[in-house]
Amino acid sequence: MMSTVMQMEEFVVQSLLYDFYGELLTEHQRRIYEEVVFNDFSASEVAKEEGISRQGVHDMIKRCGRLLEGYEAKLHLVEKFLHIRESVRQIQTLTAAEQESGSLEQRMEQIRNISSDILEEL
């Protein structure tokens, strides 16, 4: 059985993939994916509403997941976003650091290096 933390992580991954690539799905795919994944409707409820089988809903969700993962495998937008977000967090930590955590010059050099990495990634 999947732990709550793993379920939350999977939901976050699905959310990020959908945020970045959801517009590449068809309207029909988006509607079904959103109802099941984000609105927590059952496959039976969505099947009834859409006039398709419950198995069709399950297949659509799996297909959409594979499509979204395939886009990420090719474009790496989520990966880049997460890396940049972590870099910005590092900059925030360095700018909030107390004097004991290194000289101002050292922190500024670290910030410049992180900023350069961000610009290269963009």
Side-chain angles (χ1 to χ4, degrees):
M1 189 161 145
M2 193 181 295
S3 74
T4 303
V5 172
M6 289 176 64
Q7 288 174 333
M8 288 176 58
E9 288 175 3
E10 178 63 26
F11 182 76
V12 170
V13 169
Q14 288 176 328
S15 296
L16 284 170
L17 289 173
Y18 188 80
D19 286 348
F20 279 86
Y21 306 113
E23 289 297 316
L24 299 174
L25 300 175
T26 68
E27 176 68 31
H28 181 67
Q29 289 170 327
R30 280 196 309 269
R31 189 172 54 248
I32 290 174
Y33 193 83
E34 288 174 6
E35 292 296 335
V36 173
V37 175
F38 300 120
N39 298 331
D40 205 26
F41 288 146
S42 71
S44 297
E45 291 171 312
V46 175
K48 185 177 180 181
E49 181 72 27
E50 294 292 326
I52 60 177
S53 69
R54 197 171 65 80
Q55 184 61 45
V57 172
H58 283 293
D59 291 345
M60 178 71 70
I61 297 303
K62 286 185 181 201
R63 187 175 326 123
C64 289
R66 283 192 307 268
L67 284 169
L68 296 173
E69 289 169 3
Y71 294 137
E72 175 60 14
K74 291 175 183 161
L75 301 172
H76 306 285
L77 296 178
V78 174
E79 179 184 332
K80 289 177 184 178
F81 167 77
L82 293 174
H83 181 262
I84 290 170
R85 185 173 70 179
E86 180 55 33
S87 296
V88 170
R89 284 189 179 140
Q90 290 174 354
I91 289 172
Q92 289 174 332
T93 299
L94 289 168
T95 58
E98 297 292 326
Q99 294 293 357
E100 298 90 38
S101 63
S103 72
L104 179 60
E105 293 84 22
Q106 290 172 329
R107 291 194 317 249
M108 291 303 292
E109 182 63 27
Q110 288 175 309
I111 290 170
R112 279 190 290 278
N113 291 338
I114 294 169
S115 299
S116 294
D117 290 344
I118 291 171
L119 289 173
E120 283 181 35
E121 196 157 347
L122 296 175

